[in-house]
Amino acid sequence: MLPPSKRDFVSLTLSESGSYTNSKQWRRQSCWRKWKQLSRLQRSLILFTLMLLLVCGIATSPTLIGHWRDGVVGENVYDGKQPFVVNLKNEYKSILPEPPSEKKDYHRRGPPVLQNRLQTKTNVSGLLGVENQGPDLKNENKGSEEGKPIISWRGAVIEEEQASDTDTKDTEIQDETASLALAESRLEAVREAFRHAWKGYKNFAWGHDELKPVSKSYGEWFGLGLTLIDALDTMWILDLKEEFAEAREWVARELSFDKNVDVNLFESTIRILGGLLSTYHLTGDSMFLEKAKDIGYRLMPAFNTASKIPYSDVNIGKGTAHSPQWTSDSTVAEVTSIQLEFRELSRLTGDPKYKLAVMEVMKQVHKLDGKQDGLVPMFINTNNGLFTHQGIYTLGARADSYYEYLLKQWIQGGKAENELLDDYLLAVEGVKKNLLKKSTPSGLTFVGELSHGHFSPKMDHLVCFLPGTLALGAHYGLPADHMELAKQLMETCYQMYTQMETGLSPEIAHFNMHEGSIQDVDVKIADRHNLLRPETVESLFYMYRFTKDKKYQQWGWEILQNFNKYTRVPTGGYTSINNVRDPANPSTRDKMESFFLGETLKYFYLLFSNDPNLISLDKYIFNTEAHPLPIWPQAE
Ligand code: DMJ
């Protein structure tokens, strides 16, 4: 029997006929003859070398093996089963870029920039494992830093890492570009809202206290251009130069406090004194300081009481002061929320009388009987200096900013006044113990009220200053559980908007606590109005500054859009509304409060800005009307 090779040869011989084929066959025959002429040893050596080359080739070509494996899977296509999917996937991959949904999933996990930075850091240290390596490996890393070539597996890893690092950087750049564009468009939306409000004020209420945008007229409270003064620092922060310049001219030329007019001590302190002081600090324009000194001086007669607890009203032209006609009481929040402004006035003028007057109030309230676990009643008598109407405790109207100013004075003064801090910490515990409950069905944490031992699940929108204040305290080193509470209350305040048909909060919400209730928030007919108040936006601003969680910006954005939808008056200005539950007819109240420009729009702007240095919370403290005042240098 012929060997296989010979059989091939025979077959070739048999088919010998055409020229090209013949010549090929001839070459094969000649090779075969030469092969036969070799010695057995020579043939063995050649065969061995060829075998060796073949084995080495296969071993060093995993990709070939891979291709081969793919080929095997590919053959399965003919079965009409799983490989069909495999083929589709391959086709999809080769034709389309990375599916957008995968990219989205990646972003959804957290704030993109932070997350990516963290990831990069983890990858680098994790893969190189610098901290966990023995001394030898540490030296090798050092070698690579000095530019020595690395030919080990670590080189490959570094190369791979560099590639993924580039991808991450690309993604970061895209994220940052998109985030900048989004922030800029929202900031511009706030500027546009401000211009629209200003247009109404300028056209129909210039130099007066408040715009009545629907009737295209104005309302007077003190007759001091309240909206214009409240809005000064907002215009400065929003970089509305033209509007600021015309307002400055009015203050310089028209504003006079030499008027026979009764003003409320608290309201004129937080809006006028606070507004002028902060505008002075932001601009350095001494004209504003002179005006601030003038109004501050004219408000001082309010402190001429038997108890040193100030009257609520002052006639700034006559230099007389008095309580309201029906009572000799003042409101606790009012007499304890003028301190930031008067303390700052003393610092700027070098005259201690302003600070001494307001700190006397704090000293007395600190020692007073009638508190419950640090919570204060709502009224205080100007004759005897005692709390009145005891037994009612709220974080809402008439008490709210007492708590806010305890913390803020402590921060303003360089965290040295321990009584203020003690009272604040005690009050937060008092809130937790007496006023904090959960609603049904969603389990929202809310702050109710206590009336002679009876709990009422009623929460004013005013209470929504609290998440921001708690977060500010946590930022300044107070217990971390304050921040946790802030987050829960922030969610509740947002729900007070989002559960309403207009997406705008009512003035007062009642929370359900009974089994089987189908919604958390109920609103009484008399409480359905919205006055364009700032507290929720204010807290969103603090929460975003401290957490960088974009959801707070998103919540604020929804609220701004709803203000635009339901309260914007086409001819200029925004109006308070009567019914947040009736989107078809929210019913206008024809009033734009000065705090809409002083606070609400300012906090929107700061919320949408990603620049933590735009009124840094390490340098400024906002008064309760959103006017930033400097935190004092430690020595003062
Ligand atoms: C503002 O005048 C101040 O924020 C005050 O502390 C509470 N009321 C209004 C805004 O709602």
Side-chain angles (χ1 to χ4, degrees):
M1 196 171 140
L2 292 168
S5 52
K6 196 154 187 180
R7 209 170 50 195
D8 282 348
F9 173 68
V10 170
S11 71
L12 281 170
T13 311
L14 283 174
S15 63
E16 194 174 329
S17 58
S19 59
Y20 179 75
T21 314
N22 281 349
S23 117
K24 224 176 167 184
Q25 284 174 347
W26 180 86
R27 277 202 306 272
R28 281 181 184 156
Q29 284 170 19
S30 139
C31 280
W32 179 247
R33 261 184 234 113
K34 280 179 183 154
W35 173 255
K36 292 292 274 179
Q37 285 164 3
L38 293 173
S39 72
R40 187 176 286 267
L41 181 67
Q42 283 172 319
R43 274 186 282 174
S44 299
L45 270 173
I46 289 170
L47 279 173
F48 176 75
T49 312
L50 282 174
M51 285 298 287
L52 196 67
L53 284 173
L54 189 66
V55 168
C56 288
I58 289 171
T60 55
S61 285
T63 46
L64 269 180
I65 296 171
H67 281 305
W68 175 76
R69 277 207 202 112
D70 286 348
V72 172
V73 174
E75 279 172 20
N76 289 342
V77 171
Y78 299 114
D79 296 343
K81 294 176 191 165
Q82 189 184 352
F84 181 61
V85 181
V86 172
N87 257 6
L88 259 189
K89 270 191 185 163
N90 288 340
E91 194 181 307
Y92 174 65
K93 269 188 186 159
S94 62
I95 296 171
L96 296 174
E98 188 186 357
S101 61
E102 286 175 28
K103 280 189 176 171
K104 266 188 196 151
D105 279 341
Y106 177 73
H107 296 312
R108 238 185 269 134
R109 277 182 268 146
V113 176
L114 275 182
Q115 182 195 340
N116 288 346
R117 279 196 192 131
L118 261 179
Q119 243 183 14
T120 309
K121 267 190 181 171
T122 310
N123 286 348
V124 171
S125 60
L127 285 169
L128 296 180
V130 176
E131 289 308 314
N132 298 325
Q133 287 168 358
D136 290 344
L137 287 176
K138 272 187 182 164
N139 285 340
E140 275 192 54
N141 279 331
K142 205 173 156 214
S144 81
E145 276 163 23
E146 286 163 2
K148 292 179 190 165
I150 299 171
I151 359 168
S152 69
W153 58 273
R154 299 158 87 255
V157 171
I158 292 164
E159 236 178 70
E160 211 176 283
E161 177 57 24
Q162 281 167 347
S164 85
D165 203 33
T166 311
D167 288 349
T168 310
K169 275 182 188 143
D170 284 351
T171 316
E172 273 183 13
I173 289 166
Q174 282 168 14
D175 286 349
E176 277 179 29
T177 311
S179 156
L180 277 175
L182 182 68
E184 192 42 53
S185 71
R186 288 176 173 179
L187 292 171
E188 191 47 44
V190 182
R191 278 193 213 104
E192 193 280 329
F194 187 98
R195 281 196 205 98
H196 184 77
W198 192 249
K199 174 180 147 192
Y201 179 75
K202 196 175 162 183
N203 288 343
F204 311 122
W206 185 251
H208 298 285
D209 282 343
E210 287 156 346
L211 168 68
K212 296 174 90 170
V214 180
S215 57
K216 303 194 185 85
S217 59
Y218 59 84
E220 221 59 298
W221 192 4
F222 309 143
L224 296 173
L226 211 53
T227 294
L228 188 148
I229 300 173
D230 228 358
L232 284 168
D233 57 5
T234 304
M235 289 183 271
W236 186 262
I237 291 167
L238 268 60
D239 200 19
L240 296 169
K241 293 192 178 74
E242 270 177 39
E243 291 82 353
F244 180 83
E246 61 194 358
R248 190 221 174 262
E249 277 310 291
W250 184 87
V251 174
R253 293 178 195 280
E254 307 285 334
L255 179 61
S256 167
F257 297 123
D258 190 11
K259 273 187 169 177
N260 179 9
V261 60
D262 277 357
V263 302
N264 174 283
L265 169 68
F266 164 73
E267 297 292 357
S268 49
T269 299
I270 64 170
R271 301 184 199 213
I272 301 175
L273 179 56
L276 292 168
L277 287 174
S278 81
T279 308
Y280 163 65
H281 278 296
L282 295 177
T283 62
D285 184 341
S286 60
M287 185 273 291
F288 294 109
L289 178 58
E290 293 310 312
K291 296 283 178 186
K293 286 182 193 170
D294 190 13
I295 185 67
Y297 180 81
R298 288 169 184 274
L299 290 173
M300 286 305 282
F303 295 90
N304 294 334
T305 66
S307 66
K308 307 283 183 221
I309 300 297
Y311 291 122
S312 60
D313 298 288
V314 194
N315 186 303
I316 51 172
K318 288 190 192 160
T320 56
H322 57 87
S323 295
Q325 279 173 350
W326 60 92
T327 177
S328 55
D329 290 348
S330 285
T331 297
V332 169
E334 292 193 357
V335 300
T336 56
S337 310
I338 50 180
Q339 279 66 17
L340 292 175
E341 300 81 354
F342 279 99
R343 283 155 55 108
E344 179 58 13
L345 190 58
S346 270
R347 196 178 76 95
L348 289 171
T349 59
D351 185 343
K353 71 169 178 266
Y354 305 107
K355 181 177 176 179
L356 289 174
V358 293
M359 291 321 285
E360 173 63 23
V361 180
M362 295 314 295
K363 261 189 223 159
Q364 290 195 35
V365 171
H366 173 70
K367 287 187 288 195
L368 225 44
D369 284 339
K371 292 181 206 158
Q372 178 157 337
D373 304 312
L375 304 175
V376 290
M378 296 188 289
F379 296 101
I380 187 165
N381 190 273
T382 53
N383 293 324
N384 60 24
L386 300 176
F387 287 133
T388 65
H389 301 78
Q390 292 190 33
I392 302 174
Y393 303 99
T394 175
L395 264 277
R398 299 187 181 280
D400 49 0
S401 43
Y402 160 72
Y403 305 100
E404 178 188 349
Y405 268 38
L406 286 175
L407 177 74
K408 289 183 172 177
Q409 288 175 77
W410 177 69
I411 295 170
Q412 179 192 43
K415 300 194 280 179
E417 296 152 290
N418 292 334
E419 281 185 358
L420 295 166
L421 176 63
D422 293 345
D423 286 353
Y424 177 73
L425 291 171
L426 192 64
V428 174
E429 292 310 306
V431 170
K432 286 192 222 163
K433 183 176 165 191
N434 299 287
L435 306 182
L436 221 54
K437 296 274 189 240
K438 297 260 185 202
S439 68
T440 53
S442 314
L444 300 174
T445 304
F446 69 93
V447 182
E449 297 184 355
L450 204 60
S451 177
H452 306 289
H454 173 77
F455 181 80
S456 163
K458 164 184 177 276
M459 179 165 154
D460 294 352
H461 181 273
L462 287 169
V463 181
C464 289
F465 80 92
L466 189 57
T469 298
L470 288 168
L472 182 66
H475 176 70
Y476 274 95
L478 302 190
D481 73 317
H482 287 204
M483 191 62 183
E484 287 316 303
L485 181 55
K487 287 179 184 169
Q488 290 173 27
L489 291 173
M490 192 73 261
E491 169 77 40
T492 304
C493 290
Y494 171 62
Q495 290 297 328
M496 283 166 65
Y497 282 74
T498 204
Q499 291 194 12
M500 297 298 108
E501 288 76 356
T502 54
L504 291 174
S505 171
E507 178 71 356
I508 301 171
H510 282 79
F511 286 86
N512 281 317
M513 293 175 67
H514 53 268
E515 287 283 309
S517 53
I518 46 169
Q519 57 176 26
D520 295 89
V521 185
D522 271 344
V523 189
K524 298 198 184 313
I525 288 176
D527 303 335
R528 294 185 169 185
H529 49 291
N530 180 295
L531 304 183
L532 313 171
R533 285 197 191 275
E535 290 76 16
T536 295
V537 187
E538 169 187 354
S539 284
L540 287 171
F541 154 64
Y542 284 105
M543 296 305 289
Y544 178 67
R545 271 282 167 102
F546 296 136
T547 65
K548 291 280 167 281
D549 188 336
K550 302 253 177 210
K551 83 176 172 197
Y552 297 123
Q553 289 184 320
Q554 181 55 32
W555 291 357
W557 180 240
E558 289 167 23
I559 294 170
L560 177 61
Q561 284 172 307
N562 290 325
F563 275 133
N564 274 327
K565 197 165 173 189
Y566 295 107
T567 72
R568 187 174 161 115
V569 179
T571 44
Y574 288 74
T575 179
S576 305
I577 54 171
N578 282 315
N579 192 353
V580 295
R581 307 225 69 162
D582 188 353
N585 183 24
S587 165
T588 60
R589 285 167 82 101
D590 195 17
K591 186 170 178 176
M592 184 174 79
E593 300 274 355
S594 78
F595 52 68
F596 184 62
L597 300 193
E599 297 193 68
T600 313
L601 291 180
K602 185 189 289 152
Y603 282 131
F604 269 128
Y605 192 80
L606 294 171
L607 166 65
F608 298 143
S609 166
N610 291 322
D611 179 3
N613 294 316
L614 183 61
I615 316 295
S616 162
L617 290 171
D618 294 319
K619 293 187 180 144
Y620 290 95
I621 194 83
F622 285 88
N623 85 341
T624 193
E625 189 74 7
H627 298 303
L629 299 172
I631 293 170
W632 300 340
Q634 287 294 331
E636 293 182 59

